Amino acid sequence: MIARVCLWMFLGSLLAGTATVANAGEECPRGLEPVTEFRLFFGLADSAGNTVTEDEWRAFLADTITPRFPAGLTVLDAGGQWLEPSGRLQREPVKVVIGVLSTKAAEDMKLVDEISAAFQARFAQDPVFRMSGSGCAGVFRQ
């Protein structure tokens, strides 16, 4: 399990360049607002070899994730891997969800918690690995 968490952390670090992160106390550049970015890593295979199908994932995205973040989010397909204590390499498909929370992130993070709990309950999967950080975001307009 520790190896799996390390894998998720590594995957997250690869995606870290996708957002401009503001340091504590810094103001956002003109046209951008302070936000909290979150990333959820959903492993799609369980230890018994069962895999969440694409149709099951689309249904979960439509009925569980999208209603909580109707303003939008990004979903990426990825592949995860880790070494079991036996030395056997395990691989599984992963869905990465990236979204933005308002500056009242503590309130909004409960939505992320709800999504994580629903995925675990619905698909009997390992816990969802989550990341968050502060940054600045906005839409470019001419």
Side-chain angles (χ1 to χ4, degrees):
M1 184 62 171
I2 291 174
R4 188 175 248 189
V5 170
C6 289
L7 161 74
W8 298 125
M9 290 172 56
F10 173 72
L11 288 173
S13 69
L14 291 177
L15 296 171
T18 62
T20 302
V21 177
N23 293 323
E26 284 187 27
E27 290 187 27
C28 290
R30 189 171 56 89
L32 300 179
E33 298 294 324
V35 297
T36 297
E37 176 192 13
F38 70 88
R39 297 179 198 151
L40 302 173
F41 296 81
F42 298 89
L44 301 180
D46 65 17
S47 57
N50 302 313
T51 302
V52 176
T53 68
E54 194 61 34
D55 286 342
E56 290 171 325
W57 169 257
R58 275 194 289 270
F60 182 76
L61 181 63
D63 65 34
T64 305
I65 299 176
T66 301
R68 287 173 172 85
F69 296 99
L73 48 89
T74 299
V75 179
L76 305 172
D77 289 315
Q81 70 178 42
W82 69 96
L83 281 176
E84 290 183 339
S86 68
R88 183 173 163 218
L89 183 64
Q90 290 291 326
R91 291 186 174 101
E92 72 177 314
V94 175
K95 294 286 187 181
V96 181
V97 173
I98 302 171
V100 174
L101 304 172
S102 68
T103 52
K104 51 185 197 308
E107 292 174 31
D108 291 342
M109 274 308 277
K110 76 178 183 180
L111 300 174
V112 172
D113 294 341
E114 291 169 4
I115 292 167
S116 301
F119 183 79
Q120 241 183 307
R122 188 166 179 170
F123 301 111
Q125 297 292 326
D126 286 333
V128 176
F129 185 76
R130 306 170 319 159
M131 295 176 63
S132 71
S134 60
C136 299
V139 177
F140 177 77
R141 301 184 197 280
Q142 286 190 332

